[in-house]
């Protein structure tokens, strides 16, 4: 991960945060191995960001009838400065596809006097492109 862009919309205002990571943060950490930890930090202008996580387990997943081995990666991303937030994320990464097949996360934070929360779930439904 060498750059990241996040957009938050609240109280009729959109806040865009652009970050660069130098050195780049390997995500997912490679080679994949249960117990592997990673961490890094980024420059986001008036927001500082730091992230860390680890590969917690290996399991099987079924995506559109296809069985795949996945690695479960848990991570936490924290911001401070102009926006204060904590994001927790659990991603199932399939090496055979080189992408996440499931990703669940939530964010809680504040921008000045405005608090915000978000929750997301992304699930791949097929291993075949349309």
């Amino acid at each position: 991960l060498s750059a990241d862009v996040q957009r938050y919309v609240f109280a009729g205002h959109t806040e865009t945060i652009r970050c660069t990571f130098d050195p780049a943060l390997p995500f997912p950490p490679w080679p994949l191995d249960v117990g592997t930890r990673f961490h890094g930090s980024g420059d986001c202008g008036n927001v500082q960001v730091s992230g860390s996580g680890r590969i917690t387990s290996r399991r099987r997943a079924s995506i559109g009838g296809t069985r795949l081995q996945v690695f479960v990666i848990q991570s936490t991303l924290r911001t401070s400065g102009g926006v204060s937030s904590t994001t927790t994320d659990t991603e199932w990464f399939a090496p055979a596809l080189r992408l996440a097949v499931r990703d669940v996360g939530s964010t809680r934070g504040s921008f000045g006097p405005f608090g915000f929360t978000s929750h997301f779930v992304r699930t791949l439904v097929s291993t075949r492109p349309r």
Side-chain angles (χ1 to χ4, degrees):
L1 177 64
S2 59
D4 181 55
V5 176
Q6 295 184 24
R7 289 182 180 81
Y8 298 96
V9 178
F10 47 91
H13 175 76
T14 300
E15 181 71 18
T16 300
I17 302 170
R18 299 175 195 281
C19 302
T20 56
F21 295 86
D22 188 19
L25 176 63
F27 191 83
W30 210 264
L32 294 167
D33 193 19
V34 174
T36 298
R37 295 182 178 273
F38 57 93
H39 66 283
S41 59
D43 175 13
C44 310
N46 70 339
V47 176
Q48 296 72 46
V49 63
S50 64
S52 63
R54 70 184 185 100
I55 300 174
T56 59
S57 63
R58 187 172 56 194
R59 63 176 14 158
R60 301 294 260 163
S62 181
I63 308 300
T66 301
R67 300 276 299 157
L68 297 165
Q69 175 181 287
V70 299
F71 286 84
V72 179
I73 304 170
Q74 293 183 337
S75 60
T76 301
L77 183 71
R78 289 186 171 83
T79 65
S80 60
V83 175
S84 297
S85 67
T86 300
T87 300
T88 57
D89 184 64
T90 300
E91 183 173 305
W92 293 9
F93 186 84
L97 300 175
R98 292 197 177 261
L99 56 86
V101 298
R102 181 162 171 80
D103 194 6
V104 178
S106 61
T107 301
R108 178 176 300 275
S110 62
F111 175 70
F114 303 104
F116 60 89
T117 60
S118 69
H119 181 74
F120 62 87
V121 177
R122 293 187 291 258
T123 304
L124 189 68
V125 295
S126 175
T127 61
R128 302 174 60 124
R130 293 182 194 223

Short mmCIF file of all heavy atoms in Angstrom, two decimals, residues 32-96:
data_model
loop_
_atom_site.label_atom_id
_atom_site.label_comp_id
_atom_site.label_asym_id
_atom_site.label_seq_id
_atom_site.Cartn_x
_atom_site.Cartn_y
_atom_site.Cartn_z
N LEU A 32 2.30 -14.98 2.69
CA LEU A 32 1.21 -15.17 3.65
C LEU A 32 1.57 -16.30 4.60
O LEU A 32 1.91 -17.40 4.18
CB LEU A 32 -0.08 -15.50 2.91
CG LEU A 32 -0.63 -14.38 2.04
CD1 LEU A 32 -1.71 -14.90 1.12
CD2 LEU A 32 -1.16 -13.26 2.91
N ASP A 33 1.49 -16.02 5.89
CA ASP A 33 1.78 -17.02 6.90
C ASP A 33 1.07 -16.62 8.19
O ASP A 33 1.16 -15.45 8.61
CB ASP A 33 3.29 -17.12 7.14
CG ASP A 33 3.69 -18.34 7.93
OD1 ASP A 33 2.89 -19.31 8.01
OD2 ASP A 33 4.80 -18.34 8.49
N VAL A 34 0.34 -17.53 8.80
CA VAL A 34 -0.37 -17.25 10.04
C VAL A 34 0.62 -16.74 11.08
O VAL A 34 1.70 -17.31 11.25
CB VAL A 34 -1.13 -18.49 10.54
CG1 VAL A 34 -1.74 -18.24 11.91
CG2 VAL A 34 -2.20 -18.90 9.54
N GLY A 35 0.27 -15.65 11.73
CA GLY A 35 1.13 -15.05 12.74
C GLY A 35 1.92 -13.85 12.23
O GLY A 35 2.44 -13.07 13.04
N THR A 36 2.03 -13.69 10.92
CA THR A 36 2.78 -12.57 10.37
C THR A 36 2.11 -11.25 10.77
O THR A 36 0.91 -11.10 10.66
CB THR A 36 2.87 -12.65 8.83
OG1 THR A 36 3.56 -13.84 8.48
CG2 THR A 36 3.59 -11.45 8.25
N ARG A 37 2.92 -10.32 11.25
CA ARG A 37 2.44 -9.00 11.67
C ARG A 37 2.95 -7.94 10.69
O ARG A 37 3.98 -8.13 10.06
CB ARG A 37 2.93 -8.67 13.07
CG ARG A 37 2.36 -9.60 14.12
CD ARG A 37 2.85 -9.19 15.52
NE ARG A 37 2.27 -10.05 16.53
CZ ARG A 37 1.08 -9.84 17.11
NH1 ARG A 37 0.37 -8.79 16.77
NH2 ARG A 37 0.61 -10.68 18.01
N PHE A 38 2.24 -6.84 10.62
CA PHE A 38 2.67 -5.73 9.78
C PHE A 38 2.26 -4.42 10.44
O PHE A 38 1.37 -4.38 11.29
CB PHE A 38 2.07 -5.83 8.37
CG PHE A 38 0.57 -5.89 8.34
CD1 PHE A 38 -0.18 -4.74 8.18
CD2 PHE A 38 -0.10 -7.10 8.48
CE1 PHE A 38 -1.56 -4.79 8.15
CE2 PHE A 38 -1.48 -7.15 8.44
CZ PHE A 38 -2.22 -6.00 8.29
N HIS A 39 2.94 -3.35 10.09
CA HIS A 39 2.60 -2.03 10.60
C HIS A 39 3.23 -0.97 9.70
O HIS A 39 4.16 -1.25 8.94
CB HIS A 39 3.07 -1.85 12.05
CG HIS A 39 4.55 -1.86 12.19
ND1 HIS A 39 5.29 -3.01 12.15
CD2 HIS A 39 5.43 -0.85 12.33
CE1 HIS A 39 6.58 -2.71 12.28
NE2 HIS A 39 6.69 -1.41 12.38
N GLY A 40 2.72 0.22 9.80
CA GLY A 40 3.25 1.33 9.02
C GLY A 40 2.52 2.60 9.36
O GLY A 40 1.55 2.61 10.13
N SER A 41 3.00 3.69 8.80
CA SER A 41 2.35 4.98 9.03
C SER A 41 2.40 5.79 7.74
O SER A 41 3.18 5.49 6.83
CB SER A 41 3.05 5.73 10.17
OG SER A 41 4.40 5.95 9.86
N GLY A 42 1.54 6.79 7.68
CA GLY A 42 1.44 7.58 6.47
C GLY A 42 1.29 9.06 6.74
O GLY A 42 0.92 9.48 7.84
N ASP A 43 1.60 9.84 5.71
CA ASP A 43 1.47 11.29 5.74
C ASP A 43 0.22 11.66 4.98
O ASP A 43 0.10 11.36 3.79
CB ASP A 43 2.71 11.92 5.09
CG ASP A 43 2.58 13.42 4.98
OD1 ASP A 43 1.69 14.02 5.61
OD2 ASP A 43 3.40 14.02 4.24
N CYS A 44 -0.71 12.29 5.67
CA CYS A 44 -1.99 12.65 5.06
C CYS A 44 -2.24 14.14 5.18
O CYS A 44 -3.38 14.59 5.37
CB CYS A 44 -3.12 11.87 5.72
SG CYS A 44 -2.84 10.10 5.85
N GLY A 45 -1.20 14.94 5.11
CA GLY A 45 -1.36 16.38 5.28
C GLY A 45 -1.64 16.71 6.72
O GLY A 45 -0.80 16.47 7.58
N ASN A 46 -2.85 17.22 7.02
CA ASN A 46 -3.17 17.57 8.40
C ASN A 46 -3.68 16.39 9.22
O ASN A 46 -4.16 16.56 10.33
CB ASN A 46 -4.19 18.72 8.44
CG ASN A 46 -5.56 18.29 7.97
OD1 ASN A 46 -5.71 17.29 7.26
ND2 ASN A 46 -6.57 19.05 8.33
N VAL A 47 -3.59 15.18 8.66
CA VAL A 47 -4.01 13.96 9.35
C VAL A 47 -2.84 12.98 9.34
O VAL A 47 -2.19 12.79 8.32
CB VAL A 47 -5.23 13.32 8.67
CG1 VAL A 47 -5.59 12.00 9.33
CG2 VAL A 47 -6.42 14.27 8.69
N GLN A 48 -2.56 12.41 10.50
CA GLN A 48 -1.54 11.37 10.59
C GLN A 48 -2.26 10.03 10.69
O GLN A 48 -3.30 9.93 11.32
CB GLN A 48 -0.63 11.56 11.82
CG GLN A 48 0.20 12.83 11.77
CD GLN A 48 -0.61 14.08 12.01
OE1 GLN A 48 -1.43 14.13 12.92
NE2 GLN A 48 -0.43 15.08 11.17
N VAL A 49 -1.69 9.02 10.06
CA VAL A 49 -2.33 7.71 10.05
C VAL A 49 -1.31 6.64 10.41
O VAL A 49 -0.14 6.74 10.03
CB VAL A 49 -2.98 7.41 8.67
CG1 VAL A 49 -1.94 7.36 7.58
CG2 VAL A 49 -3.78 6.13 8.70
N SER A 50 -1.74 5.67 11.18
CA SER A 50 -0.89 4.51 11.48
C SER A 50 -1.76 3.26 11.40
O SER A 50 -2.94 3.30 11.74
CB SER A 50 -0.24 4.63 12.86
OG SER A 50 -1.23 4.63 13.86
N GLY A 51 -1.17 2.21 10.92
CA GLY A 51 -1.90 0.96 10.77
C GLY A 51 -1.07 -0.21 11.22
O GLY A 51 0.16 -0.19 11.15
N SER A 52 -1.75 -1.24 11.71
CA SER A 52 -1.07 -2.47 12.10
C SER A 52 -2.06 -3.62 11.99
O SER A 52 -3.27 -3.42 11.92
CB SER A 52 -0.55 -2.36 13.54
OG SER A 52 -1.63 -2.22 14.43
N GLY A 53 -1.51 -4.81 11.97
CA GLY A 53 -2.37 -5.98 11.91
C GLY A 53 -1.56 -7.25 11.87
O GLY A 53 -0.34 -7.24 11.98
N ARG A 54 -2.30 -8.34 11.69
CA ARG A 54 -1.62 -9.64 11.59
C ARG A 54 -2.53 -10.64 10.89
O ARG A 54 -3.76 -10.47 10.84
CB ARG A 54 -1.20 -10.16 12.95
CG ARG A 54 -2.32 -10.58 13.85
CD ARG A 54 -1.77 -10.99 15.22
NE ARG A 54 -2.83 -11.52 16.04
CZ ARG A 54 -3.06 -12.81 16.25
NH1 ARG A 54 -2.29 -13.72 15.71
NH2 ARG A 54 -4.06 -13.21 17.00
N ILE A 55 -1.91 -11.66 10.36
CA ILE A 55 -2.64 -12.78 9.77
C ILE A 55 -2.99 -13.70 10.92
O ILE A 55 -2.10 -14.21 11.61
CB ILE A 55 -1.81 -13.50 8.70
CG1 ILE A 55 -1.46 -12.52 7.57
CG2 ILE A 55 -2.58 -14.70 8.15
CD1 ILE A 55 -0.52 -13.10 6.53
N THR A 56 -4.29 -13.90 11.16
CA THR A 56 -4.72 -14.64 12.35
C THR A 56 -5.01 -16.11 12.11
O THR A 56 -4.92 -16.92 13.03
CB THR A 56 -5.97 -13.99 12.97
OG1 THR A 56 -7.02 -14.00 12.01
CG2 THR A 56 -5.67 -12.56 13.42
N SER A 57 -5.41 -16.47 10.88
CA SER A 57 -5.74 -17.87 10.63
C SER A 57 -5.83 -18.15 9.14
O SER A 57 -5.76 -17.24 8.31
CB SER A 57 -7.08 -18.24 11.30
OG SER A 57 -8.14 -17.49 10.75
N ARG A 58 -5.99 -19.42 8.85
CA ARG A 58 -6.21 -19.89 7.48
C ARG A 58 -7.48 -20.73 7.52
O ARG A 58 -7.71 -21.47 8.47
CB ARG A 58 -5.02 -20.72 7.03
CG ARG A 58 -5.08 -21.12 5.59
CD ARG A 58 -3.81 -21.77 5.12
NE ARG A 58 -3.48 -22.91 5.96
CZ ARG A 58 -2.31 -23.50 5.96
NH1 ARG A 58 -1.34 -23.06 5.20
NH2 ARG A 58 -2.09 -24.54 6.72
N ARG A 59 -8.32 -20.58 6.49
CA ARG A 59 -9.57 -21.34 6.46
C ARG A 59 -9.98 -21.56 5.01
O ARG A 59 -9.33 -21.09 4.10
CB ARG A 59 -10.66 -20.63 7.24
CG ARG A 59 -11.02 -19.29 6.66
CD ARG A 59 -12.16 -18.57 7.33
NE ARG A 59 -12.56 -19.09 8.60
CZ ARG A 59 -13.21 -18.43 9.52
NH1 ARG A 59 -13.54 -17.17 9.28
NH2 ARG A 59 -13.56 -18.96 10.65
N ARG A 60 -11.10 -22.27 4.84
CA ARG A 60 -11.67 -22.50 3.51
C ARG A 60 -12.91 -21.62 3.38
O ARG A 60 -13.65 -21.41 4.33
CB ARG A 60 -12.08 -23.96 3.33
CG ARG A 60 -10.96 -24.96 3.50
CD ARG A 60 -9.91 -24.89 2.47
NE ARG A 60 -10.03 -25.89 1.42
CZ ARG A 60 -9.40 -25.75 0.27
NH1 ARG A 60 -8.68 -24.71 0.03
NH2 ARG A 60 -9.49 -26.68 -0.64
N ALA A 61 -13.13 -21.12 2.17
CA ALA A 61 -14.31 -20.32 1.88
C ALA A 61 -14.92 -20.82 0.59
O ALA A 61 -14.22 -21.34 -0.28
CB ALA A 61 -13.93 -18.85 1.74
N SER A 62 -16.22 -20.67 0.47
CA SER A 62 -16.92 -21.04 -0.75
C SER A 62 -17.43 -19.76 -1.41
O SER A 62 -18.23 -19.03 -0.82
CB SER A 62 -18.08 -21.98 -0.43
OG SER A 62 -18.74 -22.35 -1.63
N ILE A 63 -16.96 -19.50 -2.62
CA ILE A 63 -17.34 -18.31 -3.37
C ILE A 63 -17.99 -18.77 -4.67
O ILE A 63 -17.32 -19.33 -5.54
CB ILE A 63 -16.14 -17.40 -3.68
CG1 ILE A 63 -15.35 -17.08 -2.41
CG2 ILE A 63 -16.58 -16.15 -4.42
CD1 ILE A 63 -16.13 -16.36 -1.35
N GLY A 64 -19.29 -18.57 -4.79
CA GLY A 64 -19.99 -18.98 -6.00
C GLY A 64 -19.82 -20.46 -6.32
O GLY A 64 -19.74 -20.84 -7.48
N GLY A 65 -19.73 -21.29 -5.29
CA GLY A 65 -19.57 -22.73 -5.50
C GLY A 65 -18.13 -23.19 -5.62
O GLY A 65 -17.86 -24.38 -5.70
N THR A 66 -17.18 -22.27 -5.64
CA THR A 66 -15.76 -22.61 -5.72
C THR A 66 -15.16 -22.57 -4.32
O THR A 66 -15.31 -21.57 -3.61
CB THR A 66 -15.01 -21.62 -6.64
OG1 THR A 66 -15.60 -21.66 -7.93
CG2 THR A 66 -13.53 -21.96 -6.72
N ARG A 67 -14.50 -23.65 -3.91
CA ARG A 67 -13.84 -23.71 -2.60
C ARG A 67 -12.43 -23.15 -2.73
O ARG A 67 -11.69 -23.53 -3.64
CB ARG A 67 -13.79 -25.14 -2.08
CG ARG A 67 -15.14 -25.80 -1.91
CD ARG A 67 -15.83 -25.51 -0.61
NE ARG A 67 -15.07 -25.96 0.53
CZ ARG A 67 -15.23 -25.46 1.74
NH1 ARG A 67 -16.10 -24.51 1.96
NH2 ARG A 67 -14.53 -25.90 2.75
N LEU A 68 -12.08 -22.25 -1.84
CA LEU A 68 -10.78 -21.59 -1.86
C LEU A 68 -10.16 -21.56 -0.47
O LEU A 68 -10.87 -21.45 0.53
CB LEU A 68 -10.92 -20.14 -2.32
CG LEU A 68 -11.43 -19.88 -3.72
CD1 LEU A 68 -11.84 -18.43 -3.87
CD2 LEU A 68 -10.33 -20.22 -4.72
N GLN A 69 -8.84 -21.60 -0.43
CA GLN A 69 -8.13 -21.35 0.82
C GLN A 69 -8.00 -19.84 0.97
O GLN A 69 -7.66 -19.15 0.01
CB GLN A 69 -6.74 -21.98 0.79
CG GLN A 69 -5.92 -21.63 2.02
CD GLN A 69 -4.54 -22.23 1.95
OE1 GLN A 69 -4.39 -23.42 2.11
NE2 GLN A 69 -3.55 -21.40 1.71
N VAL A 70 -8.29 -19.34 2.17
CA VAL A 70 -8.15 -17.91 2.44
C VAL A 70 -7.35 -17.72 3.73
O VAL A 70 -7.31 -18.61 4.58
CB VAL A 70 -9.51 -17.19 2.56
CG1 VAL A 70 -10.30 -17.30 1.27
CG2 VAL A 70 -10.32 -17.72 3.73
N PHE A 71 -6.70 -16.58 3.83
CA PHE A 71 -6.02 -16.17 5.04
C PHE A 71 -6.82 -15.03 5.65
O PHE A 71 -7.22 -14.10 4.95
CB PHE A 71 -4.60 -15.70 4.74
CG PHE A 71 -3.67 -16.82 4.41
CD1 PHE A 71 -3.60 -17.34 3.13
CD2 PHE A 71 -2.86 -17.38 5.40
CE1 PHE A 71 -2.74 -18.38 2.82
CE2 PHE A 71 -2.00 -18.43 5.09
CZ PHE A 71 -1.95 -18.93 3.81
N VAL A 72 -7.07 -15.11 6.96
CA VAL A 72 -7.83 -14.08 7.66
C VAL A 72 -6.83 -13.06 8.20
O VAL A 72 -5.90 -13.40 8.93
CB VAL A 72 -8.67 -14.68 8.80
CG1 VAL A 72 -9.43 -13.59 9.54
CG2 VAL A 72 -9.62 -15.75 8.25
N ILE A 73 -7.04 -11.80 7.79
CA ILE A 73 -6.14 -10.72 8.16
C ILE A 73 -6.94 -9.70 8.97
O ILE A 73 -7.94 -9.17 8.49
CB ILE A 73 -5.55 -10.04 6.91
CG1 ILE A 73 -4.84 -11.07 6.04
CG2 ILE A 73 -4.61 -8.91 7.33
CD1 ILE A 73 -4.44 -10.55 4.67
N GLN A 74 -6.52 -9.46 10.20
CA GLN A 74 -7.17 -8.46 11.04
C GLN A 74 -6.26 -7.25 11.14
O GLN A 74 -5.04 -7.39 11.36
CB GLN A 74 -7.46 -9.01 12.43
CG GLN A 74 -8.50 -10.10 12.39
CD GLN A 74 -8.86 -10.61 13.76
OE1 GLN A 74 -8.11 -10.50 14.72
NE2 GLN A 74 -10.05 -11.19 13.87
N SER A 75 -6.83 -6.06 10.95
CA SER A 75 -6.02 -4.85 10.99
C SER A 75 -6.77 -3.71 11.67
O SER A 75 -8.01 -3.72 11.77
CB SER A 75 -5.59 -4.44 9.58
OG SER A 75 -6.70 -4.18 8.77
N THR A 76 -6.00 -2.74 12.13
CA THR A 76 -6.53 -1.53 12.75
C THR A 76 -5.82 -0.34 12.12
O THR A 76 -4.59 -0.34 11.98
CB THR A 76 -6.28 -1.53 14.27
OG1 THR A 76 -6.91 -2.69 14.83
CG2 THR A 76 -6.84 -0.29 14.93
N LEU A 77 -6.60 0.66 11.75
CA LEU A 77 -6.07 1.89 11.18
C LEU A 77 -6.53 3.04 12.06
O LEU A 77 -7.74 3.16 12.34
CB LEU A 77 -6.58 2.07 9.75
CG LEU A 77 -6.06 3.26 8.98
CD1 LEU A 77 -4.59 3.05 8.62
CD2 LEU A 77 -6.88 3.46 7.71
N ARG A 78 -5.59 3.88 12.51
CA ARG A 78 -5.93 5.01 13.37
C ARG A 78 -5.50 6.31 12.70
O ARG A 78 -4.41 6.37 12.13
CB ARG A 78 -5.24 4.88 14.72
CG ARG A 78 -5.80 3.78 15.57
CD ARG A 78 -5.19 3.77 16.98
NE ARG A 78 -5.88 2.85 17.84
CZ ARG A 78 -5.65 1.54 17.90
NH1 ARG A 78 -4.73 1.01 17.14
NH2 ARG A 78 -6.35 0.77 18.72
N THR A 79 -6.35 7.31 12.80
CA THR A 79 -6.00 8.64 12.31
C THR A 79 -6.04 9.61 13.48
O THR A 79 -6.79 9.41 14.44
CB THR A 79 -6.95 9.14 11.20
OG1 THR A 79 -8.26 9.30 11.73
CG2 THR A 79 -6.97 8.18 10.02
N SER A 80 -5.24 10.66 13.38
CA SER A 80 -5.25 11.72 14.39
C SER A 80 -4.95 13.03 13.67
O SER A 80 -4.51 13.06 12.53
CB SER A 80 -4.21 11.44 15.48
OG SER A 80 -2.91 11.36 14.92
N GLY A 81 -5.22 14.13 14.35
CA GLY A 81 -5.04 15.44 13.74
C GLY A 81 -6.38 15.99 13.32
O GLY A 81 -7.32 16.02 14.11
N GLY A 82 -6.52 16.38 12.05
CA GLY A 82 -7.76 16.95 11.53
C GLY A 82 -8.95 16.02 11.65
O GLY A 82 -10.08 16.46 11.83
N VAL A 83 -8.72 14.74 11.54
CA VAL A 83 -9.76 13.71 11.72
C VAL A 83 -9.20 12.67 12.66
O VAL A 83 -8.10 12.16 12.45
CB VAL A 83 -10.15 13.05 10.37
CG1 VAL A 83 -11.13 11.92 10.60
CG2 VAL A 83 -10.72 14.07 9.41
N SER A 84 -9.95 12.36 13.71
CA SER A 84 -9.55 11.30 14.64
C SER A 84 -10.48 10.12 14.43
O SER A 84 -11.71 10.28 14.49
CB SER A 84 -9.66 11.79 16.08
OG SER A 84 -8.76 12.86 16.31
N SER A 85 -9.90 8.96 14.17
CA SER A 85 -10.75 7.80 13.94
C SER A 85 -9.98 6.52 14.19
O SER A 85 -8.75 6.49 14.19
CB SER A 85 -11.28 7.79 12.50
OG SER A 85 -10.22 7.58 11.59
N THR A 86 -10.75 5.45 14.39
CA THR A 86 -10.21 4.10 14.48
C THR A 86 -11.05 3.21 13.58
O THR A 86 -12.28 3.20 13.69
CB THR A 86 -10.25 3.57 15.92
OG1 THR A 86 -9.47 4.43 16.75
CG2 THR A 86 -9.70 2.15 16.00
N THR A 87 -10.39 2.51 12.69
CA THR A 87 -11.05 1.56 11.80
C THR A 87 -10.53 0.17 12.11
O THR A 87 -9.31 -0.04 12.17
CB THR A 87 -10.77 1.89 10.32
OG1 THR A 87 -11.25 3.20 10.03
CG2 THR A 87 -11.44 0.88 9.38
N THR A 88 -11.43 -0.78 12.31
CA THR A 88 -11.03 -2.18 12.47
C THR A 88 -11.55 -2.93 11.25
O THR A 88 -12.63 -2.63 10.73
CB THR A 88 -11.60 -2.79 13.76
OG1 THR A 88 -13.02 -2.66 13.76
CG2 THR A 88 -11.02 -2.11 14.98
N ASP A 89 -10.77 -3.90 10.80
CA ASP A 89 -11.08 -4.58 9.55
C ASP A 89 -10.67 -6.04 9.65
O ASP A 89 -9.61 -6.36 10.19
CB ASP A 89 -10.31 -3.89 8.41
CG ASP A 89 -10.65 -4.45 7.06
OD1 ASP A 89 -11.80 -4.33 6.64
OD2 ASP A 89 -9.74 -5.01 6.41
N THR A 90 -11.53 -6.92 9.13
CA THR A 90 -11.20 -8.34 9.00
C THR A 90 -11.41 -8.71 7.54
O THR A 90 -12.51 -8.58 7.00
CB THR A 90 -12.09 -9.22 9.89
OG1 THR A 90 -11.90 -8.82 11.26
CG2 THR A 90 -11.73 -10.69 9.74
N GLU A 91 -10.34 -9.14 6.91
CA GLU A 91 -10.36 -9.45 5.48
C GLU A 91 -9.98 -10.90 5.26
O GLU A 91 -9.06 -11.41 5.90
CB GLU A 91 -9.36 -8.53 4.77
CG GLU A 91 -9.33 -8.69 3.29
CD GLU A 91 -8.44 -7.63 2.65
OE1 GLU A 91 -8.67 -6.43 2.89
OE2 GLU A 91 -7.52 -8.02 1.91
N TRP A 92 -10.71 -11.57 4.37
CA TRP A 92 -10.35 -12.93 3.95
C TRP A 92 -9.67 -12.80 2.59
O TRP A 92 -10.32 -12.44 1.61
CB TRP A 92 -11.58 -13.80 3.83
CG TRP A 92 -12.29 -14.11 5.12
CD1 TRP A 92 -12.06 -13.55 6.35
CD2 TRP A 92 -13.35 -15.03 5.28
NE1 TRP A 92 -12.92 -14.07 7.26
CE2 TRP A 92 -13.73 -14.98 6.63
CE3 TRP A 92 -14.03 -15.87 4.42
CZ2 TRP A 92 -14.74 -15.76 7.15
CZ3 TRP A 92 -15.05 -16.65 4.93
CH2 TRP A 92 -15.40 -16.61 6.28
N PHE A 93 -8.39 -13.08 2.54
CA PHE A 93 -7.62 -12.92 1.31
C PHE A 93 -7.36 -14.28 0.68
O PHE A 93 -6.85 -15.19 1.35
CB PHE A 93 -6.29 -12.22 1.60
CG PHE A 93 -5.52 -11.90 0.37
CD1 PHE A 93 -5.79 -10.75 -0.35
CD2 PHE A 93 -4.54 -12.77 -0.10
CE1 PHE A 93 -5.08 -10.46 -1.51
CE2 PHE A 93 -3.82 -12.49 -1.25
CZ PHE A 93 -4.10 -11.33 -1.95
N ALA A 94 -7.73 -14.43 -0.60
CA ALA A 94 -7.53 -15.69 -1.33
C ALA A 94 -6.30 -15.57 -2.22
O ALA A 94 -6.33 -14.86 -3.23
CB ALA A 94 -8.76 -16.00 -2.18
N PRO A 95 -5.21 -16.25 -1.88
CA PRO A 95 -4.00 -16.16 -2.70
C PRO A 95 -4.22 -16.61 -4.14
O PRO A 95 -3.64 -16.04 -5.06
CB PRO A 95 -3.00 -17.08 -2.00
CG PRO A 95 -3.56 -17.36 -0.66
CD PRO A 95 -5.02 -17.10 -0.71
N ALA A 96 -5.08 -17.60 -4.36
CA ALA A 96 -5.32 -18.11 -5.72
C ALA A 96 -5.92 -17.03 -6.62
O ALA A 96 -5.67 -17.02 -7.82
CB ALA A 96 -6.24 -19.33 -5.67
#
